[in-house]
Amino acid sequence: MVALFGWLAFREVYYSYVPPPGFDQPDPNKSITFVILFAVIAAAFAYTPVRYWFFEHSLTQKARILSENKMAYVHCNTIFDSLFDKEVFAAGHANPESGRIVFQYPWCSRLMDHLKNPKHSTKEELISMHIFAHEAMHIRGELNEAKTECQAIQRNARAAMLFGIAEDIARENGMDYFKNYYQQRSQQGPQSSQYFSAECEPGKMLDERLTDSTWR
Ligand SMILES: [Zn+2]
């Protein structure tokens, strides 16, 4: 659609200088209104893909820092991508061999919303930041889901701060996830409980004692 309307706008301009096929003279009456109209429609169609392209670029840079792996790159699935994604029911997935992290539709948009107003976030928005940290930990090399989840919890505040969220808000949001949504996972059936470990607590076995840990 961008190409179509971009081309229509270009064509209007082009034929005001070059004779159209079958004519001897350029058509000076080509309307500037159509040029503007087609250009605006083309820009409207381009807006969302361009916005996501920039967001993916930003996510990729931050994922490389958080995962300590230069191969990390992030893709935001559109609805169309999701239709062809074998892991359509996972909110995100990561391939440590290729470095590819995929956010399922519409989790990138939830993360964008979270970044706009990190202090007042919905449950889904807090989870979207956690997905980012969780998938980055897979790219860092951890495949066990419970360990991955615990590493992500401890780096949740670090991840949020990479996006420019203030430390106190980043820490509060990270603890909110840990105290509420993480603890619920132990009681949500085997699919969810594989992500939970009772050892994921300050001072327990999975505590990495990071200097900037979410639960410091
Ligand atoms: Zn995982």
Side-chain angles (χ1 to χ4, degrees):
M1 294 307 268
V2 178
L4 172 66
F5 283 100
W7 177 75
L8 285 172
F10 168 77
R11 188 172 162 266
E12 292 293 317
V13 177
Y14 182 74
Y15 284 138
S16 62
Y17 293 100
V18 178
F23 290 83
D24 297 329
Q25 296 291 322
D27 181 354
N29 298 320
K30 282 289 179 191
S31 165
I32 186 73
T33 313
F34 279 108
V35 175
I36 293 170
L37 179 69
F38 292 141
V40 166
I41 295 173
F45 277 110
Y47 176 70
T48 300
V50 168
R51 194 163 67 110
Y52 274 86
W53 187 85
F54 277 109
F55 192 54
E56 285 173 335
H57 185 70
S58 154
L59 288 173
T60 294
Q61 284 182 318
K62 291 164 181 62
R64 286 181 182 169
I65 298 170
L66 197 65
S67 68
E68 301 159 46
N69 184 339
K70 279 190 213 141
M71 276 168 58
Y73 76 98
V74 182
H75 175 70
C76 295
N77 266 2
T78 61
I79 298 185
F80 190 71
D81 291 332
S82 295
L83 294 175
F84 296 96
D85 192 323
K86 277 183 282 180
E87 295 177 74
V88 64
F89 295 112
H93 54 87
N95 182 337
E97 276 173 36
S98 66
R100 182 178 158 90
I101 293 172
V102 173
F103 270 69
Q104 208 62 271
Y105 182 84
W107 287 97
C108 276
S109 121
R110 285 173 179 156
L111 185 51
M112 283 183 196
D113 291 342
H114 176 55
L115 297 174
K116 274 184 223 152
N117 194 358
K119 210 171 173 177
H120 302 282
S121 291
T122 63
K123 176 183 174 183
E124 281 74 23
E125 287 170 19
L126 289 181
I127 291 175
S128 69
M129 178 62 78
H130 190 75
I131 292 168
F132 172 76
H134 179 103
E135 303 310 338
M137 292 304 99
H138 279 316
I139 300 303
R140 191 165 164 268
E142 185 56 63
L143 297 176
N144 175 286
E145 290 298 356
K147 287 182 184 166
T148 303
E149 186 70 355
C150 198
Q151 290 169 7
I153 283 166
Q154 292 168 74
R155 288 169 183 78
N156 189 304
R158 187 190 293 180
M161 284 188 278
L162 285 174
F163 287 92
I165 295 178
E167 186 175 351
D168 55 336
I169 301 171
R171 213 167 278 289
E172 198 177 309
N173 286 341
M175 285 308 282
D176 195 1
Y177 180 88
F178 174 62
K179 284 189 194 154
N180 299 307
Y181 311 122
Y182 179 65
Q183 304 303 329
Q184 288 168 9
R185 300 203 95 161
S186 61
Q187 297 131 25
Q188 287 171 338
Q191 187 57 29
S192 203
S193 63
Q194 64 169 320
Y195 289 84
F196 180 83
S197 167
E199 291 300 327
C200 185
E201 292 254 2
K204 290 204 176 170
M205 222 164 70
L206 293 179
D207 182 0
E208 297 174 68
R209 295 176 172 81
L210 302 173
T211 52
D212 66 343
S213 177
T214 303
W215 60 42
R216 180 166 58 103

